[in-house]
């Protein structure tokens, strides 16, 4: 028996890792599969011209989103602030596939009634807040939200995602500094996927490890394999526990890779082919499927049942969303400005009486 096989046997004998039940291990698989399949359906709709605006894939980053969000305690009222690629995180928090289909197709039935697109919507009841497009800005916002948890004496935790590019903004620095100095219950997930648009990590920052930036704020910095869902979950779980215990912020770097362009329109001409091929071989879903099988955590039948359920759910959601109407033009301003205006805008100058 090889050393690797022996290690696998030992782990199997000691039961599932990270305190997860067999049901939860299958749950992680199901969220990753749903994320991948939902995005594949969206690509089909995009090619038919039914998606408005860009389509931002998380291909190869499903373990990063799903594993990290899964470490939060939804029942405790934990809150998450996603980025455009964190479809998997939102599904874990309870967002439904049809909501994304409606958002991407700008349907009148979408959570934002067709006024915003893609993942730009929030629901405080389900613990996720709508993102601001400006990179890094969700860090100070989440510092503020977790400060309120502290002030009210609530044992809730916040999680915020930043990309390698977003970490170069002033907003990231200000938010990190505030959250770190107040020891706020916040987990900052640094998604190192190698690129910000076409800018490589090497051109983005002089540090080799994004986790090293934690030192400048006096907080723990951890690094995990972002394509290994259980490694992501374990590291995120530790960070969430630290935050809930009053030990403050953790900066958790997840090393992964953006396998598609910035969005579907981007042909990735700047990406070396061998680099892409290397990361394709490190696919997070393939890796987890192999683990589930080798370690006896889920049978092939159990996985097929999940795949079939996901396919059925998506068939129904796509069929429903496709025939739904766009918003009525006459309602374009509803919910955008208060109606009637609550008060005269400060910038509005009445013409002097004639
Ligand atoms: C302050 C700011 N500058 C520029 C942009 C335009 N922009 C949107 S996404 C993006 C790249 C983001 O890269 P990264 O943070 O690494 O996230 P990733 O796309 O890799 O998930 C840029 C430059 C923006 N939204 N906000
Ligand atoms: Mg990036």
């Amino acid at each position: 028996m090889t050393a690797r096989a022996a290690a696998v046997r030992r782990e199997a004998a000691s039961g599932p890792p990270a305190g997860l039940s067999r049901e939860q291990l299958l749950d992680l698989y199901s969220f990753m599969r749903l994320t991948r399949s939902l995005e594949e359906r969206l690509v089909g709709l995009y090619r038919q011209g039914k998606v408005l605006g860009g389509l931002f894939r998380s291909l190869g980053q499903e373990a990063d989103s799903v594993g990290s969000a899964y470490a939060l305690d939804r029942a405790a009222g934990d809150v998450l602030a996603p980025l455009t690629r964190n479809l998997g995180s939102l599904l874990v928090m309870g967002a439904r596939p049809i909501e994304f289909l409606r958002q991407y197709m700008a349907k009148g039935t979408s959570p934002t009634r067709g006024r915003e697109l893609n993942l730009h919507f929030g629901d405080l009841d389900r613990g996720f807040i709508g993102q601001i497009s400006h990179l890094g800005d969700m860090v100070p916002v989440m510092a503020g939200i977790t400060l309120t948890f502290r002030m009210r004496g609530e044992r809730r935790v916040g999680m915020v995602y930043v990309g390698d590019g977003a970490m170069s903004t002033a907003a990231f620095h200000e938010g990190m500094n505030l959250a770190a100095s107040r020891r706020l219950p916040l987990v900052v997930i640094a998604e190192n996927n190698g690129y910000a648009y076409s800018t490589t990590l090497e051109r983005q920052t002089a540090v080799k490890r994004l986790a090293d930036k934690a030192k400048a704020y006096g907080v723990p910095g951890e690094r995990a394999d972002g394509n290994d869902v259980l490694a992501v979950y374990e590291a995120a779980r530790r960070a969430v526990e630290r935050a809930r215990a009053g030990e403050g912020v953790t900066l958790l770097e997840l090393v992964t890779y953006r396998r598609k362009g910035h969005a579907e329109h981007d042909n990735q001409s700047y990406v070396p082919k061998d680099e892409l091929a290397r990361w394709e071989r490190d696919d997070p879903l393939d890796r987890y499927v192999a683990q589930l099988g080798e370690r006896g955590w889920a049978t092939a039948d159990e996985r097929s049942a999940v795949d079939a359920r996901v396919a059925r759910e998506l068939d129904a959601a796509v069929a429903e969303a496709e025939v739904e109407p766009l918003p009525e033009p006459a309602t374009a301003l509803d919910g955008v400005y208060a109606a009637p205006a609550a008060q005269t805008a400060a910038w509005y100058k009445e013409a002097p009486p004639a």
Side-chain angles (χ1 to χ4, degrees):
M1 195 189 311
T2 62
R4 186 164 166 277
V8 167
R9 290 270 171 92
R10 270 198 306 281
E11 206 159 326
S14 64
L20 291 167
S21 64
R22 275 181 106 252
E23 197 187 357
Q24 288 173 312
L25 290 170
L26 203 57
D27 216 19
L28 285 172
Y29 171 70
S30 136
F31 281 122
M32 292 213 292
R33 173 61 65 207
L34 182 59
T35 307
R36 170 114 7 136
S37 301
L38 174 53
E39 285 189 3
E40 285 167 355
R41 301 295 179 110
L42 284 164
V43 171
L45 294 165
Y46 181 87
R47 290 184 181 153
Q48 295 170 50
K50 292 176 181 167
V51 163
L52 271 75
L55 172 56
F56 304 87
R57 295 292 308 274
S58 69
L59 180 68
Q61 296 185 223
E62 296 90 346
D64 140 358
S65 289
V66 169
S68 52
Y70 207 76
L72 289 174
D73 185 348
R74 287 178 56 202
D78 291 350
V79 169
L80 172 148
L83 293 174
T84 334
R85 288 182 219 289
N86 296 121
L87 177 63
S89 314
L90 292 176
L91 290 169
V92 169
M93 295 304 281
R96 291 157 53 226
I98 195 165
E99 293 180 287
F100 300 100
L101 291 160
R102 289 168 171 158
Q103 281 285 114
Y104 266 111
M105 291 192 277
K107 298 291 185 167
T109 45
S110 77
T112 57
R113 304 284 176 265
R115 281 138 183 81
E116 257 283 24
L117 300 171
N118 57 69
L119 273 59
H120 281 246
F121 69 101
D123 182 359
L124 281 178
D125 289 339
R126 285 178 286 179
F128 53 91
I129 63 170
Q131 59 192 296
I132 308 170
S133 271
H134 305 79
L135 297 175
D137 274 9
M138 294 317 286
V139 182
V141 168
M142 286 304 288
I145 287 177
T146 50
L147 180 60
T148 65
F149 295 165
R150 157 78 50 76
M151 291 168 76
R152 293 179 188 152
E154 297 169 347
R155 284 172 55 78
R156 298 162 75 185
V157 172
M159 181 175 278
V160 61
Y161 294 85
V162 281
D164 39 280
M167 287 176 80
S168 301
T169 62
F172 168 77
H173 166 70
E174 291 172 19
M176 270 302 285
N177 193 58
L178 175 70
S181 60
R182 303 294 156 93
R183 293 173 76 85
L184 297 175
L186 183 63
V187 177
V188 181
I189 304 284
E191 296 183 303
N192 177 357
N193 64 1
Y195 290 90
Y197 265 105
S198 56
T199 306
T200 57
L201 189 70
E202 295 70 34
R203 290 176 66 213
Q204 185 71 245
T205 174
V207 301
K208 294 272 180 282
R209 296 157 48 97
L210 294 177
D212 286 347
K213 295 200 179 206
K215 288 182 196 147
Y217 303 99
V219 301
E222 276 205 51
R223 196 177 209 224
D225 178 346
N227 285 18
D228 177 346
V229 71
L230 295 178
V232 171
Y233 171 78
E234 285 186 355
R237 185 85 214 163
R238 278 194 298 277
V240 167
E241 276 163 14
R242 272 200 288 273
R244 210 180 306 282
E247 293 168 30
V249 180
T250 301
L251 179 66
L252 173 57
E253 175 186 0
L254 300 179
V255 182
T256 180
Y257 189 79
R258 196 194 72 195
R259 296 228 316 258
K260 301 296 280 184
H262 177 68
E264 278 297 293
H265 64 265
D266 171 2
N267 70 5
Q268 300 171 283
S269 53
Y270 49 87
V271 171
K273 296 278 170 291
D274 56 334
E275 180 184 282
L276 200 53
R278 198 164 66 243
W279 283 93
E280 270 167 15
R281 288 195 296 275
D282 195 39
D283 182 78
L285 255 163
D286 290 350
R287 273 176 71 176
Y288 193 46
V289 165
Q291 261 183 319
L292 288 173
E294 279 174 19
R295 300 181 184 190
W297 293 331
T299 63
D301 283 352
E302 284 171 319
R303 279 186 278 114
S304 307
V306 169
D307 296 349
R309 176 170 51 75
V310 164
R312 271 197 312 275
E313 184 180 1
L314 292 178
D315 284 346
V318 171
E320 192 177 337
E322 268 202 276
V323 296
E324 287 174 350
L326 293 169
E328 281 296 322
T331 67
L333 290 182
D334 292 3
V336 178
Y337 296 104
Q343 61 184 68
T344 311
W347 44 265
Y348 183 75
K349 239 179 172 176
E350 295 275 353

